[in-house]
Amino acid sequence: MAPATDLLQGTLDLLILKTLALESMHGWGIALRIQQISKDALQIGQGSLYPALHRLEYKGWICADWGASENNRKAKFYSLTRTGKKQLEAELEDWDRLTTAIALVLKQV
Amino acid sequence: MLNELLTRLRFFLARKAHREVDEELQFHLDQQIQANIAAGMPPQEAQRQAVIAFGGVERAREECHEQRPGYHIETLVQDARYAMRGFRRNPIFTVTIVLTLMLGIGATTAVFSVVDRILFRSLPYAHADRLVSVGLVAPIEPQEFMLGGSYYDWRDHQTPFAAFTSETGVDPCDLTQGTPARLSCASVEANFLPTLEVHPLLGRNFTAEEDRPNAPKVALISYGVWLSHFGRDPGIVNKLIEIDGNPVRMIGVLPKDFEMPRLQAVDVMLPQALDEAEQRKADPGRVMWAFARLKPGVTIEQAKAALQPVFDYSLQLAPLQFRKEVHLQVRSLRDRQVHEVRLVAWVLLGAVIAVLLIACANVASLLTARGASRERELAVRSALGASRARLVVQALTESIVLSLAGATAGFAFAELLLRIFIAIAPKGLPFLYKAEIDTRIIFFTILLSLVCGALFGLAPAFHKPRAQALAGRASLAVSHAALRQWLVVTQIAVSMVLLVGGALLFHSFWNLQNQHLGMHTESVITARISLGQRNYGTSERRMAFFQQLESRLRYGPGVKWLAVSDSLPPGGYHRDQIYARIAVAGRPKSRGGTGGQVAWRWISPDYFRALDIPIVQGESFKEEELTSNGHLLILSKSLSSRMFPDQDPIGQRLQLASSVPDDPWYTIVGVAGNVKNGGLADEDEPEYYRLRRNRPEDWNGSSAIIVKTTLPADVMERWIRSQVATLDPTLPVEIETLRQRVSQLADQPRFQTVLVGFFAATGLVLAVIGLYGVVSFLVTQRTPEIGVRIALGATRRDILRLVIITSLRLIALGTFIGLIAALVVSRVLSSLLFNIGPRDPVTFVLVTLLLIFVAIAATLIPARSAAKVDPIVALRCD
């Protein structure tokens, strides 16, 4: 396994929003999904996932509901709100702009 | 954005239970453990790995909690509550700090409320920063004025001003309707209020037509008169009132906060109604005061430069001897109003801020000492995971809670101080009667206390608790002590500066009070009477009144000497003329400059006896000369020696207004000793006296009766009042002893001396308390060491010396820094000092000795207790 890359500052929010865009999910699920999709390249500190989730909830971008998990345990499920969807689009655009810009610079030099 | 705010608000109000977060995290861990077990780990290992993968569970829980909206407010409340608990446990400490802050903040608030209007607050006119005072300055009148002969030329040809206006002063006038009252009537040009951008509260401003001579009379009344005479009746506009016997139509009411630009009291405002054509031709024309509004973007310097051509033109028309002594003056209205007291205001503000600094240093020092004893507690909190920022915020919260408490107490103290200030303040200090603690001052004080809190809170807050503190041994807290020592050095230095200032002012005040006035003020009572135009319109009537009064008083009980004069030394109003206009018989007219001013008075024969002024040559006026036709004169010694340096002045003849065609020749009959006549501190003018004969032309409206008496002043005062009342019961009389009059002249120096002296004393006391605190702190900390020293054979004397030398180092350093600072700073006082230099060596030496003496005395108490340390107790403790 290649050493996991540390997350870029501020990208955790984006990853959470993107993950939740497909379906509502509990914290464990989000962590697992990000790890799986990135093929273990992105290792999120599981501890830092929850403060981020709470922060987003307080901002009103995601909302939380208690529901039953796959193995029928009580779990907190997060889903994207309307503001959250708009925010995701805006952040994605920003991300695109940033990466294109960086790529341009890297190619040039 | 709004959405987000609303969400936050909802979560702020409806808090999530702690349990929710716990459950959520637990669920996560369980899932991980199950996944690990599924991957084939034994259960215990699965749990261990899950926790490792997660990181700090407690930390995550805390961080989730910190995301809450309102988290910071919560900590703040928590900190404040914690601080309060701490203060309650230690009431003496808390009270000391709050009292110290009360002194500092209260005094600063009181002084600020006094100087605010002088230095900072904007004038009650719209865009007041563009208002300027314009005019001429001459030796006769150092405050700029205008003359009718030039004003209209200036107004027509000026370029830098958007508006140019004038007033011709405020004169007493009588309201002769209903309850009669003496009022102050201001005369202004029609565009006066528009130039100041003041709008009448009710009614309208004057029109240009109403500002012509012989126009129908109209008036604006002040808010005060509207309130006291008309009960704020909104229907008074266009009604008639009677002023000086003439009907005048009231066209409006001035705003409540209206002020004349020269700050005269005003009850009624009238159009000045000058005849412009006549004024233009007149030389010099009516005395007036001009004000202007600068065009946007024009500076005062530019305006002055732009006015120079019209000024030069006016100057050419002036008599030759004036030209060199007259200058153009353009300055901001605020400068015009506060010219004399600005320096005093800054000095007071500086002094009080110095006191505040000392107080803050004291509090910082106390908090540091407390910090040292709380080091263990802080170390524990740090070890339990409190971050540095959290500890700093907590310390700051404590100090701000303290300083707000100090500010609250300070408000009460400031109210008290302000009342004292107003009670002892001189009349001339502008705006003082209006000083009060309003919202602006409250805002200032709260800001001030926050700054203070940050100042004295930060010093101890940034001290990092050290790990050794956990070990439980009392640490030496060396760095605490170092900080406190520096604080004490600063305190001593600042109070040195304050003391030097206070001592210089005191010394100067002493000189002022104990100078020789040239006359004797004991048991002299003066009564000043000003006869109104209405009942005493002619000089015959005025003379008759005063002669009747004189004959009634002359043979009264206890009257030793009685004199009548038109003015009184040593200060205040007296008549003036230009030296160059006096011609000496048999000498050519002088052709230099104006030669400065010569003071003169109308007096009755016993004037010199009543005031005990020596006649050094010739003789005084005689009773029989009152009815003579001769023109007699007595010169002061300085005038006589200037005019006749090597001649006998007696019998010489003078013309007083040599330019007037048939001015009579006066014969000098005597020379009197010099008497102070320019106030207490200012340069004296040479002076001459004219005999006021029994001829109406010698008598004008106001006179002062001077009585040298053998009776107590209050008895005499009642008697004089009763005699005046039998002649005219409505006439106001102003009776004071001459000593009171002289003392009033020293009011302003006394005010600043008392205030700065009070601040210096407060500063010294605070600094000494600070020094005492630090030395006893050091002694307590070194108790084991001192015990060892005594056990090893050190004598009491050695220990005493040890402590005193430590403190002497602080005192010496503080005094030295203070001396240098005082030498630099005292220069600003020079113009406030009388007969003493700002670097007067005696004052500096005395103050230094006083400070060192008091400081050493403060050290002796802890030093003696150190010397009494019992080695056995000292070594056992801790």
Side-chain angles (χ1 to χ4, degrees):
Chain A
M1 190 168 93
T5 320
D6 274 342
L7 276 181
L8 209 58
Q9 195 81 41
T11 45
L12 180 58
D13 289 4
L14 179 60
L15 289 180
I16 294 174
L17 290 178
K18 181 71 192 168
T19 316
L20 288 179
L22 304 172
E23 54 178 330
S24 62
M25 227 178 260
H26 47 63
W28 160 254
I30 298 170
L32 211 60
R33 174 69 59 86
I34 294 175
Q35 231 163 329
Q36 280 168 355
I37 293 184
S38 71
K39 302 200 176 89
D40 284 337
L42 291 177
Q43 191 91 40
I44 340 171
Q46 295 178 2
S48 59
L49 178 66
Y50 285 92
L53 282 171
H54 282 247
R55 189 171 59 239
L56 293 177
E57 188 188 351
Y58 290 132
K59 279 185 177 175
W61 295 354
I62 59 179
C63 58
D65 283 302
W66 289 98
S69 72
E70 308 83 51
N71 49 6
N72 241 345
R73 271 194 56 176
K74 197 179 159 201
K76 203 172 178 188
F77 282 82
Y78 292 95
S79 53
L80 227 50
T81 61
R82 270 229 312 276
T83 346
K85 277 178 194 145
K86 263 186 252 161
Q87 193 60 33
L88 175 61
E89 274 162 36
E91 296 229 340
L92 276 176
E93 246 170 68
D94 279 351
W95 176 254
D96 277 346
R97 252 205 309 278
L98 182 71
T99 43
T100 335
I102 291 178
L104 274 176
V105 173
L106 290 182
K107 261 183 240 162
Q108 278 286 315
V109 178
Chain B
M1 215 57 234
L2 184 71
N3 227 335
E4 189 178 325
L5 265 178
L6 284 176
T7 319
R8 275 176 179 275
L9 191 66
R10 198 183 62 212
F11 279 115
F12 179 67
L13 296 175
R15 304 174 171 204
K16 280 199 282 191
H18 279 247
R19 198 170 35 79
E20 280 190 26
V21 179
D22 292 348
E23 266 180 48
E24 194 180 3
L25 295 182
Q26 194 55 52
F27 171 74
H28 184 112
L29 281 178
D30 289 349
Q31 291 291 76
Q32 183 72 53
I33 293 168
Q34 276 182 13
N36 285 352
I37 291 177
M41 283 186 205
Q44 264 197 337
E45 180 63 12
Q47 181 159 11
R48 205 173 76 87
Q49 288 298 335
V51 174
I52 289 174
F54 191 86
V57 177
E58 199 52 41
R59 175 113 199 94
R61 181 180 297 145
E62 280 292 312
E63 275 179 22
C64 286
H65 195 61
E66 281 169 24
Q67 303 300 328
R68 264 178 54 64
Y71 168 75
H72 291 289
I73 299 175
E74 259 170 45
T75 28
L76 207 65
V77 171
Q78 199 183 15
D79 283 351
R81 211 177 292 144
Y82 182 76
M84 296 300 239
R85 247 196 341 256
F87 296 146
R88 256 204 306 275
R89 259 203 312 270
N90 206 343
I92 296 181
F93 167 84
T94 315
V95 167
T96 314
I97 288 187
V98 171
L99 280 183
T100 311
L101 285 175
M102 179 194 85
L103 263 182
I105 294 178
T108 312
T109 303
V111 168
F112 184 76
S113 63
V114 171
V115 302
D116 181 30
R117 179 62 179 81
I118 300 175
L119 299 177
F120 309 111
R121 197 178 287 222
S122 65
L123 278 51
Y125 312 112
H127 310 108
D129 52 322
R130 295 219 310 273
L131 286 174
V132 292
S133 164
V134 182
L136 312 164
V137 283
I140 335 162
E141 177 52 50
Q143 304 294 331
E144 61 272 19
F145 62 95
M146 276 306 292
L147 293 168
S150 342
Y151 171 76
Y152 294 98
D153 282 340
W154 289 31
R155 190 189 66 184
D156 295 346
H157 294 108
Q158 59 85 11
T159 49
F161 305 127
F164 198 56
T165 190
S166 67
E167 50 132 332
T168 49
V170 176
D171 297 300
C173 54
D174 290 312
L175 181 68
T176 44
Q177 168 201 36
T179 4
R182 177 64 60 90
L183 299 177
S184 304
C185 285
S187 307
V188 305
E189 206 175 326
N191 66 351
F192 185 71
L193 292 180
T195 304
L196 298 178
E197 289 186 17
V198 169
H199 305 285
L201 187 67
L202 209 65
R204 60 174 176 87
N205 182 34
F206 308 120
T207 61
E209 285 68 40
E210 287 161 346
D211 188 23
R212 301 237 165 91
N214 305 321
K217 296 208 169 219
V218 290
L220 283 159
I221 59 172
S222 74
Y223 187 87
V225 169
W226 188 42
L227 185 71
S228 59
H229 287 75
F230 301 99
R232 297 182 38 165
D233 171 16
I236 57 134
V237 175
N238 283 328
K239 289 211 174 125
L240 290 173
I241 49 168
E242 207 174 89
I243 290 176
D244 284 335
N246 302 313
V248 177
R249 188 170 300 282
M250 290 183 284
I251 57 164
V253 177
L254 291 168
K256 192 173 181 183
D257 64 350
F258 177 76
E259 268 169 16
M260 289 293 281
R262 292 190 297 140
L263 302 176
Q264 313 102 305
V266 58
D267 299 311
V268 178
M269 185 175 271
L270 306 165
Q272 60 192 24
L274 290 178
D275 186 336
E276 198 177 312
E278 189 188 298
Q279 288 293 327
R280 280 178 192 275
K281 278 181 284 173
D283 176 33
R286 179 72 194 259
V287 174
M288 51 206 324
W289 290 268
F291 305 94
R293 183 170 285 281
L294 290 169
K295 284 180 186 160
V298 177
T299 65
I300 291 180
E301 288 73 33
Q302 288 166 344
K304 193 168 177 179
L307 272 185
Q308 201 66 40
V310 282
F311 169 71
D312 289 340
Y313 174 74
S314 298
L315 206 57
Q316 279 172 14
L317 307 177
L320 195 64
Q321 50 199 19
F322 286 101
R323 283 185 209 169
K324 274 199 181 133
E325 294 172 18
V326 176
H327 303 281
L328 172 66
Q329 173 77 283
V330 180
R331 55 178 172 169
S332 73
L333 202 50
R334 186 193 293 277
D335 283 355
R336 174 72 164 86
Q337 293 182 345
V338 303
H339 58 106
E340 278 162 343
V341 293
R342 165 171 294 194
L343 180 63
V344 177
W346 277 116
V347 166
L348 287 182
L349 194 61
V352 84
I353 285 176
V355 171
L356 183 66
L357 265 182
I358 296 178
C360 280
N362 247 2
V363 174
S365 175
L366 279 170
L367 283 179
T368 322
R370 185 161 175 260
S373 58
R374 273 172 63 184
E375 192 166 13
R376 205 177 299 170
E377 174 205 328
L378 291 180
V380 170
R381 295 180 59 182
S382 179
L384 285 180
S387 65
R388 292 274 292 125
R390 188 76 177 71
L391 288 182
V392 168
V393 167
Q394 207 266 320
L396 270 183
T397 312
E398 279 189 7
S399 61
I400 282 172
V401 166
L402 277 178
S403 71
L404 286 178
T408 315
F411 278 128
F413 186 56
E415 276 283 357
L416 179 77
L417 271 185
L418 197 56
R419 277 196 203 148
I420 299 176
F421 287 175
I422 292 175
I424 64 170
K427 286 200 191 94
L429 207 60
F431 317 116
L432 185 63
Y433 64 99
K434 278 192 190 165
E436 58 178 357
I437 295 182
D438 56 12
T439 43
R440 179 179 154 100
I441 307 287
I442 291 174
F443 182 72
F444 164 81
T445 306
I446 290 174
L447 201 72
L448 187 76
S449 62
L450 290 183
V451 170
C452 275
L455 217 64
F456 61 65
L458 274 183
F462 274 115
H463 179 76
K464 190 173 188 244
R466 289 164 310 160
Q468 297 103 288
L470 274 178
R473 305 265 323 158
S475 68
L476 277 173
V478 180
S479 60
H480 283 303
L483 176 66
R484 293 191 68 190
Q485 290 176 3
W486 277 109
L487 285 173
V488 162
V489 168
T490 318
Q491 285 181 314
I492 295 179
V494 174
S495 60
M496 177 83 194
V497 176
L498 271 177
L499 278 176
V500 164
L504 283 173
L505 286 175
F506 180 77
H507 202 147
S508 145
F509 180 66
W510 178 267
N511 290 345
L512 203 61
Q513 285 278 298
N514 291 290
Q515 62 179 326
H516 185 57
L517 295 175
M519 59 177 179
H520 285 103
T521 56
E522 298 91 60
S523 46
V524 176
I525 291 178
T526 65
R528 281 195 299 171
I529 297 171
S530 166
L531 300 177
Q533 279 297 315
R534 190 164 150 77
N535 292 330
Y536 302 91
T538 64
S539 25
E540 281 83 5
R541 279 199 188 166
R542 293 196 282 269
M543 182 174 84
F545 174 84
F546 282 114
Q547 284 183 339
Q548 274 177 31
L549 184 62
E550 206 182 333
S551 60
R552 275 176 169 275
L553 293 177
R554 166 141 307 171
Y555 302 108
V559 176
K560 212 163 141 199
W561 298 108
L562 178 91
V564 182
S565 143
D566 63 334
S567 59
L568 291 165
Y573 166 81
H574 57 70
R575 287 162 191 279
D576 270 314
Q577 79 155 85
I578 286 161
Y579 180 81
R581 292 183 75 184
I582 304 178
V584 180
R587 279 195 210 167
K589 277 190 182 174
S590 76
R591 298 225 166 269
T594 59
Q597 299 282 308
V598 177
W600 69 273
R601 300 176 209 279
W602 287 111
I603 59 167
S604 70
D606 285 335
Y607 178 83
F608 298 108
R609 285 191 203 95
L611 293 179
D612 216 351
I613 300 168
I615 299 289
V616 293
Q617 242 180 314
E619 51 197 355
S620 176
F621 296 130
K622 294 192 203 66
E623 213 46 47
E624 58 269 25
E625 287 162 355
L626 282 175
T627 47
S628 76
N629 281 335
H631 297 277
L632 304 177
L633 215 55
I634 290 178
L635 306 187
S636 77
K637 204 170 164 201
S638 56
L639 184 60
S640 146
S641 48
R642 178 166 169 190
M643 283 188 148
F644 308 103
D646 29 46
Q647 270 175 293
D648 182 9
I650 307 299
Q652 298 276 0
R653 288 175 346 116
L654 302 180
Q655 239 178 347
L656 296 175
S658 56
S659 52
V660 178
D662 25 77
D663 192 51
W665 287 95
Y666 289 79
T667 311
I668 299 171
V669 296
V671 176
N674 289 331
V675 179
K676 289 237 94 172
N677 58 17
L680 292 180
D682 293 340
E683 227 24 49
D684 288 329
E685 290 171 3
E687 185 167 357
Y688 66 79
Y689 303 91
R690 287 168 74 174
L691 178 63
R692 215 175 208 181
R693 300 161 303 169
N694 294 341
R695 290 162 158 271
E697 67 261 31
D698 289 2
W699 291 86
N700 58 343
S702 69
S703 283
I705 313 276
I706 305 166
V707 178
K708 178 100 172 178
T709 172
T710 51
L711 290 178
D714 51 331
V715 178
M716 201 63 207
E717 178 180 340
R718 253 176 287 143
W719 186 68
I720 296 178
R721 276 195 199 285
S722 69
Q723 293 303 309
V724 174
T726 45
L727 287 178
D728 184 344
T730 61
L731 204 60
V733 203
E734 216 180 290
I735 299 184
E736 311 164 285
T737 65
L738 191 53
R739 185 161 280 194
Q740 282 167 341
R741 273 185 61 80
V742 174
S743 159
Q744 273 166 19
L745 290 175
D747 272 355
Q748 190 176 324
R750 181 182 301 116
F751 182 67
Q752 65 218 23
T753 306
V754 166
L755 255 58
V756 175
F758 169 70
F759 296 145
T762 315
L764 180 66
V765 169
L766 288 177
V768 164
I769 292 175
L771 178 69
Y772 168 81
V774 166
V775 175
S776 30
F777 179 70
L778 286 177
V779 166
T780 322
Q781 288 201 321
R782 290 173 72 174
T783 304
E785 179 204 328
I786 292 169
V788 171
R789 280 173 190 261
I790 294 178
L792 290 181
T795 59
R796 298 241 145 119
R797 185 184 290 262
D798 293 330
I799 302 300
L800 214 57
R801 194 185 303 136
L802 179 78
V803 177
I804 289 185
I805 283 179
T806 323
S807 117
L808 261 187
R809 269 215 304 268
L810 300 180
I811 300 172
L813 189 59
T815 314
F816 178 70
I817 298 175
L819 261 181
I820 293 177
L823 279 172
V824 176
V825 171
S826 68
R827 241 205 347 244
V828 303
L829 291 178
S830 9
S831 70
L832 297 179
L833 297 178
F834 177 71
N835 277 355
I836 184 175
R839 292 182 177 173
D840 179 54
V842 180
T843 309
F844 271 78
V845 169
L846 283 179
V847 164
T848 313
L849 289 180
L850 171 78
L851 189 68
I852 291 178
F853 176 76
V854 174
I856 288 180
T859 313
L860 276 180
I861 308 167
R864 285 166 65 117
S865 70
K868 283 189 196 134
V869 163
D870 182 344
I872 299 173
V873 177
L875 289 176
R876 274 217 190 116
C877 84
D878 201 40

